[in-house]
Amino acid sequence: MTLYCKHFHTTQVTDELMDTPTSRDRILTAGLSLFLKDGVETSSVADLCRAAGVSNGSFFHHFSSKDELALEIVLALRREYWDFILTEMEPHADAFDGVAGVIRAAFAYQSRFPDRYKLGRSDEASWMRGNEHRLREDNAPYRGRAARWIAAHAAAGRLPVLLPEIYGALLFGSPHWIILNAHSGPEPTDFEASRDQLVATIGKALGL
């Protein structure tokens, strides 16, 4: 999967991107741009072909449908997000620093790239239905990275032994819930206060 990843203050690309973009590369890049700008539902195959500079036949040679292209892009955005937050957790030998790092990174990604975050979390979209196995398979390496870091700290007595689902809810689910429900109350969400209170609350819950 080829996708331009604009984070860490630079323009990066996945390993599969060659020096000269292929037609598939161009379709993916055009798809990301159009889906972020206009949404998946309102972007047509004709729009995608025009933006990518490819023929209709070339599009369907690489992707069976617009929905397949959207799924491919969403999976890449999720990988981008996981990499972004886990790299702020994994280097830390101190458990609290790692916990704080991953929570702060979740808020930072959403703050810097709100449209990418929203598209990457298109869980309820019609074109995401029936692809649960793809999501699980794609998430597995990142769940493994998080589990290994947590297990090492738990084995050393720096973190309590809890079910993986509990750590998932605390470290990854809580920031997502706050971001997803932002501004749903009578007052605008204070993201900095929410982030700092969440870090302190989860740290206390874990005995850190």
Side-chain angles (χ1 to χ4, degrees), residues 1-207:
M1 162 72 198
T2 302
L3 180 70
Y4 288 92
C5 302
K6 298 178 181 177
H7 61 271
F8 302 119
H9 308 292
T10 61
T11 300
Q12 301 178 350
V13 295
T14 52
D15 292 338
E16 297 90 305
L17 183 61
M18 297 185 292
D19 291 337
T20 302
T22 65
S23 58
R24 187 174 189 277
D25 296 329
R26 296 201 302 274
I27 293 168
L28 286 162
T29 302
L32 175 61
S33 178
L34 284 176
F35 294 163
L36 290 174
K37 177 177 176 286
D38 301 325
V40 175
E41 290 78 9
T42 56
S43 300
S44 67
V45 170
D47 294 331
L48 292 161
C49 290
R50 191 178 306 111
V54 301
S55 66
N56 200 59
S58 179
F59 179 93
F60 286 108
H61 172 73
H62 295 291
F63 300 97
S64 62
S65 65
K66 181 182 72 172
D67 287 358
E68 183 187 346
L69 172 64
L71 176 63
E72 191 79 15
I73 288 172
V74 164
L75 290 176
L77 286 173
R78 288 179 179 232
R79 290 192 291 270
E80 175 183 275
Y81 174 74
W82 274 109
D83 275 326
F84 189 94
I85 66 173
L86 289 177
T87 54
E88 296 301 317
M89 179 178 77
E90 291 170 316
H92 291 290
D94 181 88
F96 179 80
D97 288 344
V99 167
V102 76
I103 293 171
R104 293 181 185 280
F107 280 89
Y109 183 93
Q110 189 278 338
S111 176
R112 296 181 197 177
F113 316 113
D115 293 337
R116 295 168 85 89
Y117 183 85
K118 182 179 179 181
L119 180 59
R121 302 301 309 192
S122 302
D123 302 69
E124 302 302 320
S126 60
W127 41 271
M128 290 287 284
R129 294 172 192 157
N131 290 297
E132 292 80 7
H133 66 290
R134 289 281 305 276
L135 295 174
R136 285 195 299 271
E137 290 174 0
D138 211 70
N139 285 338
Y142 302 99
R143 289 198 305 268
R145 285 170 58 182
R148 285 190 293 273
W149 185 88
I150 292 166
H153 283 275
R158 294 187 291 266
L159 284 173
V161 177
L162 300 172
L163 291 171
E165 292 82 0
I166 303 302
Y167 273 109
L170 289 173
L171 303 185
F172 310 117
S174 297
H176 174 61
W177 191 92
I178 292 172
I179 293 164
L180 187 66
N181 291 278
H183 310 308
S184 60
E187 300 293 333
T189 300
D190 185 333
F191 282 111
E192 288 190 10
S194 297
R195 178 200 64 200
D196 293 344
Q197 287 185 27
L198 186 61
V199 167
T201 301
I202 291 177
K204 184 176 180 179
L206 296 174

